[in-house]
Amino acid sequence: MMALAAAAAILGCEGRVLTADEAAFFREADPLGFILFARNVETPEQLRRLTADLRAAVGRDAPVFVDQEGGRVQRLRAPHWREWRPPLDEVARLSPDARARGLWLRYRLIAAELRAVGIDGDCAPSADLAGPDTHPFLRNRCFGTDPASVAQAARAAADGLLSGGVLPVLKHLPGHGRAVVDSHLYLPRTTADAATLEATDFAPFRALADLPVAMTAHVVFDAFDPDRPATLSPALIGVIRDRIGFGGLLLTDDLSMEALSGSLGERAAGAIAAGCDVALHCNGRRREMAAVVAAAGRLLPAAAARAEAALAARRAPGAIDTDRLAAEFEALAGSVADV
C-alpha cells in the first residue's frame, strides 16, 4: 500500500497557497501527511484548494491534520468557523450527566467543519490531567483533574471526531499535566514516582489505548529516564507501548519546539530510534523539513502497518443535520458563537 513507501514524517507548509516549488519538494519527500496552522487558513474555499493541492503533490489521499481543540488552540476561527471554548471551560458548563453527549456533539460538529475543507485529522483530544501547578499553556486545554472523568471526556471527543470521519490524535503520551513550564520554550521534568504516575497520569491514556493515533510529550520523567524526554526515550516509548498499551500510530510532538536540543536531523533520528513511528515538523521551513525527512527515513514496516490501520479509520461520515446537533449542544451547554 502507498503508506509503506511514505517518509516517516508529517510536515507543514509556509502559506495559504501551495507553491510549485513546495509541491515539487513534497513530491520528492513524500511525507506520510501534512499539518496546517493559522498561517495556512483564510477562507473555506482557499483551504479546500490547499488541502487538495497537498494531496495532489504526493499523489495519494494523505492525511491532513490541524489543531482544533477550542480556545487558544484553534486554527480555524470566526467568521468562517465556530469559535469553541477551551475544553476545561466547556466541561465546566456541562452537567456530569450531559458531559459525554455534549462533548461528542462538540467534536462531531468540529469534524463536520474540518471534513468540509479537506482536513481529516485533529490533534485532539488531550488526556493530560490538569493539576494545581499545570502550566497555563496547557491547563485549560485539559478535560479535568481526575483520571476517570478525563478518560470519559476524551473518549467522547474522540468518538465524535471518528464519527465525523476525522482521525483523533490523542495527546500527550504518557502525560504532560505535571509540566510547570511551557514545552514550546523549555524542557519540563516530572519527579513523580512510577507508582504515582501509573495511578494518575498514565491512567486516562490506558483507558484510551485503542485509539488509532497518538502524540508524545516532550517531558522528562525521572522515574523512567532522567536524561531524555519521552519523545527521545526508548524507555518511555516502552512505557507507552507496554505499560499503557497503546498500539496505534505514534507521532512525535512538534520537533521544532525548544524543549528539545540538537539539530532537527538529530531530533528526528533520535525519535525514530527511540520507537516513535512518525516525526512531526510544523513550521514549513524547507531546510528544516529536508533535514527531518532525511533523518527520519521511510516508515519502518511496523510503523507502516500502524499507519495503514490508522488511515483506514477515516471512514466517510454519515449525513447529519448540523443545525439540529448544534441546537442540542446549545441546550446542553449554553450558546455557541454563531458563524
Side-chain angles (χ1 to χ4, degrees):
M1 296 180 69
M2 287 288 189
L4 286 171
I10 291 171
L11 304 176
C13 60
E14 284 191 327
R16 296 170 179 171
V17 175
L18 187 68
T19 68
D21 188 49
E22 283 180 313
F25 169 76
F26 289 138
R27 189 170 300 114
E28 176 70 20
D30 193 24
L32 175 65
F34 301 95
I35 188 164
L36 301 180
F37 281 77
R39 67 177 183 272
N40 307 120
V41 176
E42 185 176 24
T43 66
E45 294 76 15
Q46 166 267 327
L47 204 45
R48 279 191 288 271
R49 285 194 300 272
L50 178 58
T51 55
D53 288 347
L54 288 167
R55 291 188 171 103
V58 294
R60 55 186 163 80
D61 187 19
V64 179
F65 296 89
V66 75
D67 293 282
Q68 194 76 349
E69 298 177 8
R72 284 180 300 106
V73 183
Q74 177 174 335
R75 314 307 184 196
L76 282 62
R77 309 208 75 119
H80 299 293
W81 296 277
R82 290 177 176 86
E83 289 286 335
W84 299 97
R85 289 174 173 81
L88 195 63
D89 296 351
E90 201 77 271
V91 166
R93 299 170 66 237
L94 289 160
S95 71
D97 290 344
R99 194 164 292 155
R101 177 63 178 173
L103 290 171
W104 186 93
L105 289 164
R106 167 184 162 116
Y107 285 91
R108 181 63 184 85
L109 290 166
I110 288 174
E113 293 185 320
L114 298 182
R115 284 282 297 209
V117 293
I119 296 170
D120 55 10
D122 189 1
C123 296
S126 166
D128 302 312
L129 296 182
D133 300 319
T134 302
H135 191 278
F137 102 91
L138 179 66
R139 194 175 197 282
N140 71 355
R141 298 165 57 194
C142 303
F143 284 110
T145 59
D146 70 278
S149 66
V150 168
Q152 179 198 42
R155 172 68 69 183
D159 286 349
L161 291 170
L162 284 166
S163 294
V166 172
L167 287 175
V169 180
L170 180 66
K171 59 190 188 186
H172 306 81
L173 274 76
H176 208 310
R178 293 179 187 272
V180 298
V181 297
D182 183 349
S183 57
H184 293 88
L185 304 173
Y186 307 100
L187 177 59
R189 177 181 297 273
T190 177
T191 59
D193 61 75
T196 298
L197 291 167
E198 288 275 6
T200 55
D201 301 57
F202 297 174
F205 295 106
R206 191 178 300 113
L208 300 160
D210 60 305
L211 291 179
V213 189
M215 179 183 292
T216 62
H218 298 335
V219 177
V220 172
F221 292 80
D222 283 349
F224 297 95
D225 186 343
D227 300 319
R228 287 169 290 194
T231 302
L232 302 175
S233 169
L236 268 300
I237 303 303
V239 167
I240 291 168
R241 293 299 193 194
D242 301 329
R243 290 181 182 239
I244 290 173
F246 177 71
L249 187 69
L250 187 63
L251 319 181
T252 72
D253 203 345
D254 183 10
L255 292 179
S256 61
M257 290 164 64
E258 295 301 320
L260 304 182
S261 59
S263 70
L264 266 297
E266 289 168 341
R267 298 175 191 188
I272 299 300
C276 293
D277 292 322
V278 178
L280 175 66
H281 181 271
C282 296
N283 64 30
R285 295 173 187 160
R286 174 70 58 80
R287 185 172 297 177
E288 293 185 10
M289 291 193 295
V292 167
V293 169
R298 316 311 282 179
L299 287 168
L300 297 173
R306 288 189 282 263
E308 289 168 3
L311 297 184
R314 297 178 300 175
R315 299 181 184 90
I320 60 167
D321 182 337
T322 55
D323 289 340
R324 184 182 65 78
L325 294 189
E328 183 185 353
F329 176 76
E330 290 166 6
L332 292 175
S335 63
V336 174
D338 292 330
V339 296

